[in-house]
Amino acid sequence: MQSIDIIISSFISPYPFPLYFTMTAMDTLEEEALDRLQMESAVESAQIDSLPSLDEVEDILGYQFNNKGLLEEAFTHASLGKSFSSERLEYVGDSVLNLLFTKQQYFEYPDLPPGALTRLRAANVDTEKLARVAYKHGLHRYLRHKKPLLAEQIRQFSKEIQRYPLRSNGLVDVPKSLADLVEASIGAVFIDSNSSIDTVRTVFKDLLEPVIRRENLEIHPVTQLYEVCQKRNLKVKFVDLWKESTAFDVFVDDRLVGRGSCSLKKEIAHNRAAKDALDNIRRILDEKDNSRNLGVCSAHR
């Protein structure tokens, strides 16, 4: 009779052993998950606490913020997961920067038509130009983010731009976060100074140097290649091999004259192929011109 009572009690018990065991295991998992979250939170707090003071940014800019929150917002990337990020200030800074260069170039080049002015402005506000500004002045060291690959991307960028002192025209991989940082900084100064364009111009005038001007504005390699070949009635053909070998081949009149590759971005591979073809086609055309001139000289003897 006692054994029957034990069996019956095991069925009617509100906490039979299997259920109790499951609940205990779940409690353990929840505790472990909570511990992980607390550890991650502690690591994140330590990382943020270890960042250089944003007061140093004010020294770089030569501007003291009335609202320090705007400065923090400008240097907080969306990847950090905060309730605020730099994106809204980037939006403001992009518009202000375009206005600054529009005003400057309008008075500096009274003879340039709108199309030429637009190309000149674009060269001064593009992603590569602004990323160079951020790296040159060390602003990237203060960016608060959770982008594990950004440090390596910046290292590669700093190495590649040494070959192109002013501008690569789309030949290097650019960390967009650096350009966004400059735009956000401009937006922050603009808002903090009660929307003063003159204050922004004063703060960023030297930081944005060197400014690309009409005399040193280079044409994009793809555009240059087509222009050179059109003058000679030569046919240009790009062959897309990017999926197979991250490369592009360039043929001029069915002759292979250039190749470019980039595993990160297809557009860069395309631009590099155009640049390689442009260098080679110029040498080929020079050789043809020299041969033709020699032939003419021989005929006159």
Side-chain angles (χ1 to χ4, degrees), residues 202-235:
T202 300
V203 171
F204 289 93
K205 183 177 183 296
D206 293 335
L207 292 172
L208 292 171
E209 291 287 348
V211 172
I212 299 171
R213 291 185 161 79
R214 176 170 56 180
E215 55 271 18
N216 55 22
L217 176 64
E218 296 182 353
I219 304 174
H220 194 280
V222 175
T223 304
Q224 274 188 291
L225 179 62
Y226 277 110
E227 287 182 353
V228 168
C229 291
Q230 284 174 358
K231 290 179 181 178
R232 301 286 188 127
N233 293 318
L234 302 173
K235 181 182 177 182

Side-chain angles (χ1 to χ4, degrees), residues 7-298:
I7 294 174
I8 293 174
S9 65
S10 68
F11 281 102
I12 64 176
S13 172
Y15 299 107
F17 176 75
L19 177 59
Y20 173 76
F21 177 78
T22 303
M23 291 180 65
T24 302
M26 288 177 61
D27 290 343
T28 302
L29 291 173
E30 289 177 356
E31 289 176 0
E32 290 177 353
L34 182 60
D35 289 342
R36 283 198 302 271
L37 288 173
Q38 290 174 341
M39 289 179 63
E40 291 173 359
S41 177
V43 170
E44 179 181 332
S45 298
Q47 289 175 339
I48 293 176
D49 291 340
S50 66
L51 289 173
S53 170
L54 292 180
D55 292 342
E56 297 175 17
V57 174
E58 293 182 306
D59 294 335
I60 294 173
L61 299 180
Y63 178 83
Q64 298 297 313
F65 279 83
N66 299 304
N67 181 357
K68 304 292 184 180
L70 287 169
L71 179 59
E72 183 181 2
E73 183 178 335
F75 280 78
T76 300
H77 192 270
S79 64
L80 199 61
K82 295 292 184 181
S83 58
F84 58 90
S85 74
S86 60
E87 292 177 344
R88 284 169 54 84
L89 289 176
E90 291 166 23
Y91 165 76
V92 175
D94 175 65
S95 298
V96 172
L97 185 61
N98 275 275
L99 178 58
L100 280 175
F101 275 103
T102 298
K103 180 180 178 181
Q104 174 190 324
Q105 292 168 356
Y106 176 82
F107 291 105
E108 186 174 351
Y109 303 107
D111 59 324
L112 279 186
L117 288 171
T118 299
R119 288 190 294 272
L120 193 57
R121 181 183 63 193
N124 281 287
V125 301
D126 71 5
T127 303
E128 181 183 332
K129 170 62 189 301
L130 298 183
R132 284 173 180 260
V133 170
Y135 180 77
K136 177 182 178 181
H137 297 284
L139 293 175
H140 62 287
R141 295 185 287 114
Y142 304 90
L143 179 62
R144 302 178 175 193
H145 66 92
K146 282 187 177 179
K147 300 188 70 176
L149 301 179
L150 181 59
E152 176 60 20
Q153 191 180 16
I154 292 174
R155 191 188 70 80
Q156 288 292 337
F157 175 69
S158 66
K159 182 179 177 181
E160 291 181 359
I161 60 176
Q162 293 177 12
R163 302 187 314 181
Y164 310 98
L166 188 61
R167 188 175 181 229
S168 80
N169 259 314
L171 301 177
V172 303
D173 182 34
V174 181
K176 185 177 180 297
S177 296
L178 298 193
D180 293 341
L181 183 57
V182 174
E183 290 180 342
S185 300
I186 291 173
V189 171
F190 179 73
I191 298 298
D192 190 70
S193 62
N194 294 320
S195 306
S196 172
I197 288 288
D198 289 336
T199 299
V200 174
R201 181 182 58 80
T202 300
V203 171
F204 289 93
K205 183 177 183 296
D206 293 335
L207 292 172
L208 292 171
E209 291 287 348
V211 172
I212 299 171
R213 291 185 161 79
R214 176 170 56 180
E215 55 271 18
N216 55 22
L217 176 64
E218 296 182 353
I219 304 174
H220 194 280
V222 175
T223 304
Q224 274 188 291
L225 179 62
Y226 277 110
E227 287 182 353
V228 168
C229 291
Q230 284 174 358
K231 290 179 181 178
R232 301 286 188 127
N233 293 318
L234 302 173
K235 181 182 177 182
V236 180
K237 180 182 179 182
F238 283 86
V239 178
D240 185 350
L241 303 171
W242 198 74
K243 287 185 178 180
E244 296 83 4
S245 59
T246 68
F248 274 82
D249 283 346
V250 182
F251 290 83
V252 174
D253 277 1
D254 298 323
R255 177 180 177 182
L256 179 63
V257 295
R259 167 169 282 199
S261 64
C262 179
S263 60
L264 297 174
K265 293 181 181 178
K266 184 176 181 179
E267 181 183 2
I268 295 176
H270 184 264
N271 296 338
R272 288 177 178 176
K275 180 64 168 63
D276 188 47
L278 189 62
D279 294 340
N280 292 329
I281 196 68
R282 282 173 171 167
R283 185 173 64 253
I284 294 170
L285 294 176
D286 288 342
E287 290 172 357
K288 284 185 176 181
D289 290 341
N290 290 335
S291 299
R292 189 179 298 111
N293 291 335
L294 288 174
V296 171
C297 290
S298 298

